[in-house]
Amino acid sequence: MKTLVCACALAAAALLPLSASAQTATDATAFAGAKDVQAQIRAMLAEMKPDQGFMWRPLVRDGAQIAAIEIWKKPGKPAVHPADGEYAIVLEGAGTLVSGGTLADPETRRADLVEGSRIDGGTSRPLAPGDVLLVPAGVPHWFGITGQRLVLLGIKLPKGK
């Protein structure tokens, strides 16, 4: 009986570090619920000036990785991100994505952004809520707006090595 008690005590002691580490581990997951997303969109719309065509604001982040809400009320310039792909989900509104082809009149604005006057030979796709897009690094793209706005959840993805 004494041996059985000792064996049980040793088994319990052996399990303690596992339980303790599981209880103290932290979850680094960045999370925003549907109510958080809608609240941020409402706050951004309230802050936008009447003539403001674009607003971007982080929603969740993990260091340098950011998922951001993008609100487009007016089209921007066609762009290329040389080192980052762009993944986005349409949350609200409607628009058009033109991607591929060649960026005309390219001007480097920053190391991570080249803008042009138009895209020659690109593919046009309509955008609606629920649509998902992935524009690889180095690919020209442009968002047109249909109606009042186009709201995206956008994430930059570093170019694969």
Side-chain angles (χ1 to χ4, degrees):
M1 181 74 158
K2 186 175 181 182
T3 305
L4 180 59
V5 170
C6 288
C8 289
L10 285 173
L15 291 174
L16 283 177
L18 294 175
S19 299
S21 66
Q23 291 172 345
T24 60
T26 59
D27 180 359
T29 301
F31 177 81
K35 288 181 182 178
D36 301 317
V37 174
Q38 290 304 312
Q40 180 163 317
I41 292 170
R42 282 192 307 274
M44 290 171 70
L45 287 169
E47 291 174 32
M48 288 182 83
K49 296 178 176 87
D51 62 341
Q52 187 174 353
F54 176 76
M55 182 180 266
W56 177 95
R57 183 169 294 154
L59 178 66
V60 293
R61 69 173 68 220
D62 174 22
Q65 302 300 317
I66 298 170
I69 299 291
E70 300 178 19
I71 299 178
W72 295 84
K73 289 187 173 183
K74 298 177 186 174
K77 291 186 174 186
V80 169
H81 304 289
D84 294 314
E86 190 166 351
Y87 167 75
I89 300 168
V90 179
L91 299 177
E92 292 182 7
T96 303
L97 167 67
V98 176
S99 61
T102 305
L103 189 65
D105 308 315
E107 291 186 36
T108 301
R109 301 287 183 211
R110 303 184 309 259
D112 65 339
L113 178 64
V114 179
E115 291 181 329
S117 61
R118 67 185 182 281
I119 295 175
D120 292 327
T123 302
S124 181
R125 296 170 180 90
L127 296 174
D131 288 348
V132 176
L133 58 111
L134 176 59
V135 179
V139 173
H141 59 285
W142 173 84
F143 296 107
I145 314 314
T146 304
Q148 293 184 331
R149 64 180 168 263
L150 177 64
V151 181
L152 305 174
L153 174 65
I155 303 166
K156 294 285 193 276
L157 301 171
K159 186 176 183 178
K161 302 284 180 199

